[in-house]
Amino acid sequence: MLKIHNPATGAPLAEVPEATPAIVCERAAAARAAQPAWAALGLRERMEILQRFRVALASEVEALAATLTAEVGKPIRQSRNEVNGLLPRIDFFLAQAEASIGAQQLHDDGSTREVLGFDPLGVVVNISAWNYPYFVGGNVFVPALLAGNAVLYKPSEFSTLTGLHIARLLHESGVPLDVFVPLVGGGAVGAALLEQRIDGVFFTGSHATGQRIAAAVGPRFIKLQLELGGKDPTYVADDADVKAAAESLADGAMYNTGQSCCSVERIYVHERIHDAFVAAFVDTVNGFVIGDPASEDTYIGAIARAPQIAVLEAQVADARAKGAELLTGGRRLTDRPGNWFEPTVLSRVDHTMDVMREESFGPIIGIQKVSGDAEALALMNDTRYGLTAGVFTKDEARATAILSKVNAGTVYWNCCDRVSPRLPWSGHGDSGVGLTLSTLGLQTFTRPRAWHLRRP
Ligand code: NAD
């Protein structure tokens, strides 16, 4: 049995049976058998079913948000934002599906037609993270199902109840039980899924697990997408609006209690405005309300996974030992049950410190003073990751000059921690391979078929 606890209180929430290896095998075979009929249903019918899923989701936002808050410790307003945020993503995929993955006639000379078709991959595995289960799951299962795939879905063991809600709503909307198959459990269930006869793996999670998955499936030449962590930098130039930049970046660093793949994780500030920026940033952070995630006022919730607290403590200790200044926070909260860490700001940091090199995945940020654009760019690129990067400046040309040279899949001018269904979500380097979202994020769940059709 998988025991589920509320990370904000430590209280038990539920016990859910874990999938055994035999069940994984049996369910994978059932998905294989069911997939051709799902593909044969046609895109229009699948679109109608996913449209019903959207309606069902919208009608249960409050209850779904409450479950998410209870099992991952996400502040309730942010849980609601997430469930609501999946709706426009579904709308985007539905609006684009026919143009993106419907057959396209590309040539007709009277005797020969050339048609580009998009076949489903077949049976795909989706192994998901807990930090945004609606977003990272929905980026995969919505387009994968639209494209005619069967999906073996393993929610994170830390967001299982949400995963089961997603499965229930999809099934109630008309997706057959064997076409969307939730499999409950931790890493062992994920690993067992990889051993099945599958046509693709779509993973969201840590770099360490991504490496294990790549090693497991690499020799099989099946489609592999890995959406992994980041150490996302932002540079604040000397002409930026200091207060606006500080407020935006404090939110970008601390939203979801800093547990976002695209959280701002490093800030470089031009020396001319450094002290004013740091003061405004600390002011903003000190205004964040930390506490019961179910309360409407809460902005900083619990740390979903207890072991992460030790990572945060070690980063603070390492930085202080090497000369960083702790401006606020820096400690786990021990005056209450559950997993808690204070929002933490460090200055006088540098790249010898883990806090500027390794993903923190918590409410902690290092702010480093730089002499100008060239130093900022060099430091932003001094990382093995490459998910997002940003620049705050009044000058668009200055921003684009820097951002075009940053090694990242997503770049931001005067904003951060932002995802759009219209644009692809992808990482460079250790942040992963492949992409989700955008029209490319529909096509990625298909394989092309080139039709050469000559009339008799
Ligand atoms: P994790 O790697 O611990 O777990 C992710 C999933 O992998 C879980 O479902 C887990 O059960 C499963 N898993 C663990 N071991 C496995 C194995 N050997 N074989 C198969 N599956 C296995 O990551 P997490 O704590 O759930 O998520 C946090 C990480 O995810 C962070 O690094 C974050 O940056 C990243 N993330 C990235 C994106 C993105 O879009 N790039 C989005 C969200 C989260």
Side-chain angles (χ1 to χ4, degrees):
M1 285 298 236
L2 181 69
K3 294 194 167 89
I4 298 165
H5 291 91
N6 182 329
T9 61
L13 277 178
E15 291 193 14
V16 184
E18 275 187 272
T20 61
I23 287 177
V24 171
C25 197
E26 185 189 299
R27 304 296 280 129
R32 171 70 56 195
Q35 186 268 332
W38 177 246
L41 203 57
L43 181 54
R44 285 266 168 91
E45 287 217 34
R46 293 195 297 273
M47 286 166 62
E48 273 174 33
I49 290 170
L50 268 299
Q51 175 62 35
R52 287 206 288 275
F53 169 68
R54 184 215 190 276
V55 172
L57 202 63
S59 72
E60 291 193 22
V61 171
E62 278 310 312
L64 299 174
T67 300
L68 182 55
T69 287
E71 69 178 338
V72 305
K74 192 189 289 262
I76 186 68
R77 281 173 181 270
Q78 298 175 17
S79 290
R80 225 178 264 134
N81 286 350
E82 186 183 341
V83 183
N84 280 320
L86 181 54
L87 304 177
R89 294 193 188 193
I90 298 172
D91 292 339
F92 171 82
F93 285 130
L94 289 173
Q96 298 297 325
E98 286 188 292
S100 303
I101 55 173
Q104 298 171 14
Q105 179 166 302
L106 301 176
H107 174 79
D108 184 356
D109 62 12
S111 79
T112 305
R113 283 180 299 133
E114 294 173 1
V115 176
L116 170 57
F118 293 93
D119 293 351
L121 295 171
V123 176
V124 299
V125 167
N126 179 205
I127 298 175
S128 201
W130 53 267
N131 62 334
Y132 285 97
Y134 287 97
F135 286 157
V136 299
N139 291 353
V140 173
F141 65 73
V142 174
L145 289 170
L146 281 172
N149 298 283
V151 180
L152 300 170
Y153 167 67
K154 199 199 82 59
S156 164
E157 59 273 42
F158 298 99
S159 58
T160 299
L161 301 177
T162 292
L164 293 175
H165 277 310
I166 288 171
R168 173 180 58 80
L169 292 170
L170 284 167
H171 295 150
E172 286 172 6
S173 305
V175 178
L177 293 177
D178 290 338
V179 166
F180 185 82
V181 181
L183 290 146
V184 166
V189 174
L193 273 169
L194 304 177
E195 289 170 11
Q196 309 307 311
R197 195 185 138 218
I198 50 176
D199 304 297
V201 178
F202 295 81
F203 170 76
T204 309
S206 62
H207 175 258
T209 309
Q211 274 189 320
R212 271 182 223 120
I213 290 176
V217 305
R220 285 156 65 186
F221 300 157
I222 58 175
K223 177 123 188 182
L224 174 64
Q225 285 204 176
L226 303 170
E227 303 215 322
L228 310 177
K231 191 69 196 168
D232 297 6
T234 298
Y235 167 47
V236 186
D238 51 346
D239 65 345
D241 178 331
V242 168
K243 188 163 181 291
E247 287 174 0
S248 171
L249 288 168
D251 184 48
M254 305 285 172
Y255 190 84
N256 206 33
T257 315
Q259 303 167 110
S260 307
C261 55
C262 53
S263 284
V264 176
E265 290 242 345
R266 305 178 276 153
I267 302 176
Y268 304 98
V269 185
H270 196 287
E271 58 193 7
R272 267 190 226 117
I273 56 155
H274 175 267
D275 293 356
F277 175 86
V278 167
F281 192 94
V282 171
D283 253 13
T284 307
V285 169
N286 285 337
F288 290 152
V289 177
I290 180 167
D292 179 4
S295 158
E296 294 291 333
D297 298 331
T298 295
Y299 180 83
I300 300 282
I303 301 295
R305 292 174 57 254
Q308 196 63 21
I309 295 178
V311 173
L312 301 175
E313 284 179 325
Q315 288 195 349
V316 172
D318 170 71
R320 293 185 79 184
K322 290 172 179 161
E325 185 179 357
L326 178 64
L327 298 174
T328 188
R331 292 177 308 126
R332 74 167 75 205
L333 292 178
T334 50
D335 59 346
R336 61 196 82 186
N339 315 326
W340 296 91
F341 199 84
E342 293 173 323
T344 298
V345 182
L346 292 153
S347 70
R348 287 203 257 135
V349 292
D350 63 42
H351 278 214
T352 65
M353 302 172 187
D354 286 349
V355 74
M356 298 303 274
R357 304 202 73 86
E358 303 301 328
E359 188 177 44
S360 304
F361 218 58
I364 157 173
I365 187 82
I367 304 177
Q368 182 168 352
K369 192 188 285 187
V370 293
S371 57
D373 299 7
E375 187 187 8
L377 176 61
L379 288 169
M380 288 164 91
N381 278 337
D382 180 24
T383 177
R384 60 196 176 93
Y385 292 111
L387 194 58
T388 83
V391 172
F392 278 71
T393 166
K394 293 203 172 72
D395 182 346
E396 182 172 357
R398 184 177 180 181
T400 51
I402 298 168
L403 292 174
S404 60
K405 296 192 195 83
V406 169
N407 191 22
T410 291
V411 293
Y412 301 117
W413 175 40
N414 291 335
C415 57
C416 56
D417 191 20
R418 181 178 191 278
V419 180
S420 162
R422 294 171 290 278
L423 289 168
W425 189 248
S426 66
H428 293 190
D430 281 359
S431 291
V433 290
L435 61 90
T436 52
L437 297 175
S438 78
T439 54
L440 302 174
L442 276 155
Q443 291 173 346
T444 198
F445 295 97
T446 66
R447 57 179 114 238
R449 185 179 295 266
W451 293 87
H452 300 247
L453 303 168
R454 183 157 299 160
R455 294 183 181 89

